[in-house]
């Protein structure tokens, strides 16, 4: 895959408008409560940074880093926690922020792990959803954009560590 061959599918401005909408929904749903927002490294760093700035509720932020053994463009299904959160989530309202759901394997693994820690509530907000590619059932509570198959980079998402800093979301042209 060559990240130089790419086309924009969502511009910085379109992303910003959608992120504002998502943040407005989240703020309404959690009105009067405090949220722990968990960002999944590295891909969600930009999405998380944008979304929390539009939230109108108090939140605390932590990060998790997962490792998935696979190729640069697909996960193998074997997931491990490389860096855990530092906060306790027991009895708290928790929102996990992830860049993209593909097969669903990463998020279903993560949800199982976090549920064991007995948060008061546990929801997910994903920037992109490749819903047609699920191998295990997983439904996100908040979705930025559903997308078809194809590999995307930009707005935090990478191919082999390339393309993360692009402000627009781009599809790689095969
Ligand atoms: P899943 O476990 O198959 O749902 O994979 C989720 C992970 O795969 C994401 O956190 C990304 O790291 C990676 N991934 C899947 N599709 C893409 C893509 O199109 N661009 C960049 N990363 C992707």
């Amino acid at each position: 895959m060559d990240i130089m061959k790419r086309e924009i599918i969502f511009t910085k401005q379109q992303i910003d408008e959608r992120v504002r909408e998502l943040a407005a929904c989240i703020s309404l749903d959690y009105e009067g409560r405090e949220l722990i927002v968990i960002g999944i490294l590295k891909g969600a760093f930009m999405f998380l940074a944008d979304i929390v700035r539009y939230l109108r509720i108090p939140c605390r932020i932590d990060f998790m880093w997962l490792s998935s053994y696979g190729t640069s463009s697909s996960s193998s299904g074997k997931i491990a926690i490389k860096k855990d959160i530092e906060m306790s989530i027991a009895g708290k309202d928790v929102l996990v922020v992830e860049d993209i759901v593909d097969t669903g394997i990463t998020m279903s693994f993560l949800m199982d792990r976090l549920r064991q820690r007995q948060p008061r509530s546990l929801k997910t907000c994903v920037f992109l959803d490749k819903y047609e590619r699920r191998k295990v059932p997983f439904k996100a509570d908040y979705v930025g954009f559903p997308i078809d198959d194809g590999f995307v980079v930009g707005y935090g998402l990478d191919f082999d560590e390339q393309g993360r800093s692009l402000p627009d979301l781009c599809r790689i042209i095969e």
Side-chain angles (χ1 to χ4, degrees), residues 40 43 68 72-75 77 79 98-107 128 130 133-134 147 150-153 157-159:
I40 308 305
S68 130
S72 309
S73 59
S74 69
S75 66
I79 319 282
E98 170 64 312
D99 56 353
I100 186 165
V101 189
D102 184 16
T103 63
I105 292 171
T106 307
M107 284 304 267
L128 301 169
K130 286 184 182 172
R133 288 189 28 101
R134 287 294 192 282
I147 58 165
F151 204 81
V152 292
V153 296
L157 289 100
D158 75 309
F159 171 68

Side-chain angles (χ1 to χ4, degrees), residues 4-106:
M4 297 308 285
K5 292 185 196 149
R6 59 178 187 252
E7 57 181 357
I8 294 177
I9 54 172
F10 300 115
T11 63
K12 183 176 185 290
Q13 192 188 340
Q14 287 172 316
I15 293 170
D16 188 60
E17 279 165 21
R18 185 67 189 124
V19 172
R20 278 173 193 255
E21 287 172 4
L22 285 175
C25 287
I26 296 167
S27 302
L28 207 64
D29 292 349
Y30 289 91
E31 211 174 340
R33 285 145 76 181
E34 194 194 84
L35 199 53
I36 294 188
V37 180
I38 302 178
I40 308 305
L41 296 170
K42 298 177 193 173
F45 82 98
M46 221 179 258
F47 181 42
L48 179 134
D50 283 346
I51 212 148
V52 294
R53 279 181 286 182
Y54 290 128
L55 289 181
R56 296 190 310 270
I57 47 163
C59 67
R60 290 189 285 154
I61 299 164
D62 208 337
F63 290 95
M64 255 178 134
W65 194 1
L66 305 174
S67 58
S68 130
Y69 306 93
T71 65
S72 309
S73 59
S74 69
S75 66
S76 66
K78 283 190 213 140
I79 319 282
I81 297 174
K82 210 164 165 181
K83 183 222 168 283
D84 207 341
I85 44 171
E86 276 150 19
M87 292 174 191
S88 162
I89 58 167
K92 310 283 188 199
D93 290 310
V94 175
L95 181 69
V96 174
V97 175
E98 170 64 312
D99 56 353
I100 186 165
V101 189
D102 184 16
T103 63
I105 292 171
T106 307

Side-chain angles (χ1 to χ4, degrees), residues 117-172:
R117 301 180 192 180
Q118 300 179 322
R120 176 181 169 197
S121 69
L122 180 62
K123 286 192 180 183
T124 53
C125 175
V126 303
F127 176 53
L128 301 169
D129 190 349
K130 286 184 182 172
Y131 59 94
E132 283 175 350
R133 288 189 28 101
R134 287 294 192 282
K135 285 189 185 152
V136 298
F138 173 79
K139 195 174 178 307
D141 298 284
Y142 305 96
V143 177
F145 300 100
I147 58 165
D148 303 333
D149 203 1
F151 204 81
V152 292
V153 296
Y155 197 61
L157 289 100
D158 75 309
F159 171 68
D160 217 2
E161 292 303 326
Q162 300 170 82
R164 276 195 208 285
S165 59
L166 297 169
D168 306 306
L169 187 80
C170 305
R171 188 194 309 274
I172 309 271

